[in-house]
Amino acid sequence: MRDVMRHMLFRQKALPNVPVPRNDLTKLILASYKDTKKDPKLGNAVIALAQESFPKTIGMEMKELRVTPISKGKSKLADSETAGSKFYVLRSLVPRNWRKKFIVDDDQSPSRHLLIVLLMLIKCHGDKLAEDDMWLSLGELGVHQNEEHFQLGKVEDEIKSLVQKKYLIQRKQNGTDGSTFTLEAGANAVDELESKGGIDMYIEQLFADTVVPSAPEQTQDMEVG
């Protein structure tokens, strides 16, 4: 169990918010218990113990994620992962208002803003966003392909990072004009926003919070002489 917890903590430090594949933990467990009689349930038991210990000792949650793609068809995952694969990621249990006050707020990072914009676009395009539509919409916001953004840097690299962290699912599609890709909401995004009522509710709330109320009409009493 301690090896699993140590591995999760080191991975979080080296690759923040990048989920750890279940297969990596299984290999670690088998290596740690190589002198023990192999039990098919050993991996599940050790991981469950680690998940139980994290909140008590570290104040973090070891959350299980599962890649469950929405779309169907001949497209394939760009990172060659199969549907149903399990991953684990660490989440802080410190209340959000405390994190905003005492810790750097990840919600205000340029990468987070890009993610929210992409999730909105994905929803507006029926849960699947084509590459051409993505660049067309981002271009209207001043974010262009093959150009360095003053805050994001190279946008293609930021998108790859969001895919690696399972915030987005990228699918390659081959066509007559060459290969392209589509984006969908990833397991990490779905899980993080579940506490906020899901992606739909979160986006609706964002719009509600940014709507500027119209000024009340000024009326004057007219005196009739």
Side-chain angles (χ1 to χ4, degrees):
M1 178 191 71
R2 286 178 295 181
D3 288 340
V4 170
M5 295 180 69
R6 188 182 301 111
H7 183 77
M8 291 295 300
L9 289 169
F10 285 164
R11 273 292 301 268
Q12 175 67 11
K13 177 66 174 179
L15 299 170
N17 299 321
V18 176
V20 177
R22 168 64 181 259
N23 288 341
D24 288 2
L25 297 182
T26 299
K27 292 176 183 177
L28 179 64
I29 293 168
L30 292 177
S32 301
Y33 291 86
K34 59 184 177 181
D35 297 329
T36 305
K37 182 180 178 180
K38 297 298 183 293
D39 186 332
K41 299 180 181 179
L42 178 62
N44 291 336
V46 174
I47 289 175
L49 285 173
Q51 288 177 306
E52 183 180 350
S53 297
F54 262 112
K56 299 177 182 177
T57 59
I58 309 294
M60 302 186 79
E61 179 184 22
M62 181 178 167
K63 190 79 175 196
E64 180 181 285
L65 305 176
R66 188 187 294 267
V67 175
T68 52
I70 300 172
S71 67
K72 299 179 181 179
K74 296 182 179 180
S75 61
K76 60 181 181 180
L77 290 172
D79 53 8
S80 300
E81 290 166 359
T82 58
S85 299
K86 292 182 180 180
F87 297 83
Y88 295 88
V89 65
L90 294 180
R91 300 206 196 287
S92 174
L93 293 177
V94 176
R96 178 168 291 275
N97 58 331
W98 287 16
R99 295 205 303 272
K100 286 185 175 181
K101 186 174 182 180
F102 300 108
I103 307 174
V104 175
D105 187 6
D106 291 335
D107 284 351
Q108 299 306 316
S109 69
S111 180
R112 187 72 172 188
H113 291 167
L114 174 63
L115 172 62
I116 296 304
V117 169
L118 291 174
L119 290 176
M120 288 181 177
L121 292 173
I122 288 169
K123 277 296 174 184
C124 290
H125 286 80
D127 294 327
K128 182 162 59 174
L129 177 64
E131 179 182 9
D132 289 344
D133 292 331
M134 179 192 74
W135 288 119
L136 180 63
S137 298
L138 290 179
E140 295 177 355
L141 300 175
V143 180
H144 302 285
Q145 188 177 13
N146 300 322
E147 289 186 11
E148 292 278 339
H149 187 267
F150 73 101
Q151 284 187 316
L152 292 167
K154 193 173 181 180
V155 182
E156 290 91 336
D157 291 342
E158 280 295 330
I159 293 175
K160 288 179 182 178
S161 177
L162 292 172
V163 171
Q164 184 184 28
K165 295 175 182 178
K166 302 293 181 293
Y167 285 115
L168 297 171
I169 297 175
Q170 187 180 58
R171 302 181 188 281
K172 290 181 180 177
Q173 292 186 325
N174 296 321
T176 55
D177 297 329
S179 62
T180 183
F181 66 80
T182 60
L183 291 178
E184 298 174 21
N188 217 349
V190 173
D191 181 78
E192 273 194 21
L193 298 179
E194 184 178 1
S195 61
K196 299 179 176 64
I199 294 176
D200 289 349
M201 184 63 69
Y202 180 68
I203 292 175
E204 289 178 10
Q205 187 60 48
L206 282 177
F207 277 114
D209 291 342
T210 54
V211 170
V212 179
S214 57
E217 294 183 1
Q218 300 295 324
T219 59
Q220 293 183 341
D221 293 332
M222 302 293 292
E223 291 184 2
V224 178

